[in-house]
Amino acid sequence: MQVLVTGGAGYIGSHTVLSLLENNVDVIVYDNLVNSSIESIDRVEKLTGKKVEFVEGDICDKEKLSRVFKQFSIDAVIHFAALKAVGESAEIPLSYYQNNVHGTVCLLEVMQQHKVHNFIFSSSATVYGEENNVPYVETMKLGTPSSPYGASKVMVERILADLALSDSKFRAVSLRYFNPIGAHESGAIGEDPKGIPNNLLPYVAQVAVGKRDKLRIFGDDYPTKDGSCERDYLHVMDLAQGHVAALDWLNRHPDFSGVEAFNLGTGNGVSVFAIVKAFEQAINKKIPFEVSPRRVGDLPAFWANASKANKELNWQANRSLEQMMTDTWRWQSKNPNGFLI
Ligand SMILES: NC(=O)c1ccc[n+]([C@@H]2O[C@H](COP(=O)([O-])OP(=O)(O)OC[C@H]3O[C@@H](n4cnc5c(N)ncnc54)[C@H](O)[C@@H]3O)[C@@H](O)[C@H]2O)c1
């Protein structure tokens, strides 16, 4: 089986490519490297002893994409390529809609031209918006996210639903990720954000390694157990295996057409203070922090009801919080400058 992985050089993409190769799936990565390094793919090849076909290109470039579909016999597409910084998306919304929404439409058009019908989409818990109560369940209506980034994910989910209504051959799985953290247990690949990290764990890890002075915790007056925000953190390798499970689900359901959404999370909310404590315990060192005002748009707490993925995909997020911390630290301490060698 051959799978095209857009954005496969990025954080979740590279871990998923590794899991796919370990499950004997051939992979073609298509990435413009706007937020990643080709080094991640080299390391995945070394870790697995398998070859990855790599094409540098933009998903908005339909001619280049089309050549890739002509060159390889692609059975399915896993679509990670997107811009993903929530704050930045409010500053440059048009770039987010262009990249995440228009880019996805280009990809779907090229898939349609080449009669490739299997699609796995990187969606997000953010599609539940502010109006749904926790824990989030797939039967809830799509919400109204507060950021253009979140809105771009809702738009793509709507586009997939409309496409499925118009094309009875189209088979899509929308994976709604909660908060992936951690790194492959080798410490050879991990999250390597360009510039100042937007996510909590890379920030904590960069403070621990001495790259940044202290962590800023946004708000300690939320209506949660300890006043900080709570999120459903899951290990990136569990998330990677969720994609293998989704591909397997599509293969086990040859008569399925339409779009099926699955939450990928642990089902537990963990606070920012609890994450800092767990990280300190894992590395046996204090993390200096200061509390700053709340950020606009941050919800107090959300976590998944992941029963549907547990039952139908035979998938579970098994790795512990401790492992998420030790694997993050192994990656960060072995690669203080990320993939820059
Ligand atoms: N990391 C999270 O917390 C999280 C949570 C929910 C959903 N997601 C989604 O998962 C996907 C992967 O996220 P990630 O954390 O691995 O991000 P990432 O930035 O590490 O990976 C995205 C990859 O896509 C590539 N890319 C971006 N725009 C492109 C384009 N126009 N053409 C080709 N390649 C392009 C980037 O170079 C990068 O390699 C994204 O769609 C993101 O929105 C991430």
Side-chain angles (χ1 to χ4, degrees):
M1 177 166 209
Q2 283 206 318
V3 174
L4 178 73
V5 181
T6 71
Y11 172 47
I12 307 170
S14 56
H15 290 79
T16 301
V17 169
L18 186 141
S19 282
L20 291 167
L21 295 172
E22 283 175 343
N23 284 275
N24 298 318
V25 176
D26 292 336
V27 176
I28 302 117
V29 168
Y30 187 88
D31 198 306
N32 66 359
L33 302 178
V34 67
N35 196 37
S36 54
S37 159
I38 184 73
E39 175 68 17
S40 66
I41 298 296
D42 291 346
R43 295 194 186 181
V44 166
E45 288 185 327
K46 282 197 190 100
L47 285 168
T48 57
K50 293 189 177 171
K51 170 101 188 89
V52 176
E53 296 289 346
F54 178 78
V55 181
E56 186 172 342
D58 196 295
I59 47 168
C60 299
D61 184 345
K62 284 167 65 178
E63 279 177 25
K64 193 175 244 185
L65 263 181
S66 199
R67 285 199 295 275
V68 173
F69 278 84
K70 258 188 219 137
Q71 187 183 345
F72 300 96
S73 163
I74 293 166
D75 300 296
V77 175
I78 304 183
H79 178 38
F80 293 103
L83 298 176
K84 63 156 184 181
V86 172
E88 183 188 60
S89 76
E91 289 157 23
I92 45 167
L94 297 182
S95 302
Y96 273 69
Y97 292 125
Q98 162 74 9
N99 205 69
N100 296 5
V101 181
H102 171 73
T104 304
V105 171
C106 290
L107 174 64
L108 291 167
E109 280 176 343
V110 176
M111 283 177 64
Q112 210 171 41
Q113 277 159 18
H114 293 269
K115 303 194 172 25
V116 175
H117 308 294
N118 296 311
F119 190 69
I120 296 178
F121 174 59
S122 290
S123 190
S124 164
T126 188
V127 300
Y128 291 104
E130 296 186 13
E131 47 278 78
N132 286 303
N133 294 325
V134 289
Y136 295 149
V137 192
E138 294 86 344
T139 47
M140 290 171 168
K141 282 201 171 131
L142 290 172
T144 318
S146 57
S147 71
Y149 165 75
S152 76
K153 295 288 173 191
V154 169
M155 286 178 195
V156 171
E157 287 218 7
R158 293 230 163 90
I159 289 168
L160 297 180
D162 286 341
L163 180 55
L165 284 177
S166 73
D167 176 358
S168 62
K169 290 205 175 82
F170 186 61
R171 295 151 46 78
V173 170
S174 198
L175 297 177
R176 295 176 179 163
Y177 313 155
F178 280 67
N179 290 67
I181 58 173
H184 185 256
E185 59 184 14
S186 63
I189 54 169
E191 185 166 10
D192 179 22
K194 292 199 172 152
I196 301 171
N198 289 292
N199 291 340
L200 176 62
L201 247 282
Y203 210 111
V204 172
Q206 290 193 3
V207 172
V209 87
K211 256 181 105 171
R212 309 209 175 262
D213 285 354
K214 58 184 165 199
L215 172 71
R216 283 171 73 198
I217 293 178
F218 298 101
D220 63 353
D221 55 354
Y222 284 100
T224 56
K225 277 183 244 102
D226 62 20
S228 64
C229 288
E230 290 173 9
R231 297 288 180 266
D232 184 339
Y233 296 98
L234 78 160
H235 196 293
V236 68
M237 284 309 300
D238 282 328
L239 181 58
Q241 282 157 2
H243 295 77
V244 176
L247 205 55
D248 180 56
W249 184 88
L250 281 171
N251 287 335
R252 283 189 286 116
H253 294 81
D255 297 332
F256 163 77
S257 66
V259 188
E260 203 66 40
F262 293 96
N263 288 339
L264 297 183
T266 61
N268 300 311
V270 176
S271 76
V272 176
F273 286 126
I275 286 281
V276 174
K277 203 167 154 202
F279 199 80
E280 288 178 339
Q281 276 167 358
I283 68 167
N284 207 11
K285 190 174 156 186
K286 282 277 172 208
I287 300 291
F289 69 84
E290 66 178 17
V291 176
S292 302
R294 293 177 180 194
R295 276 189 308 204
V296 179
D298 273 348
L299 296 178
F302 60 83
W303 58 90
N305 174 330
S307 329
K308 185 176 172 192
N310 300 161
K311 262 191 236 126
E312 295 191 31
L313 299 181
N314 299 323
W315 173 90
Q316 197 137 19
N318 288 318
R319 290 165 177 84
S320 65
L321 193 61
E322 193 191 350
Q323 188 172 352
M324 298 181 212
M325 300 300 137
T326 48
D327 289 343
T328 301
W329 182 235
R330 194 175 301 108
W331 152 252
Q332 186 69 59
S333 52
K334 279 173 109 174
N335 304 274
N337 296 315
F339 288 113
L340 272 184
I341 336 167

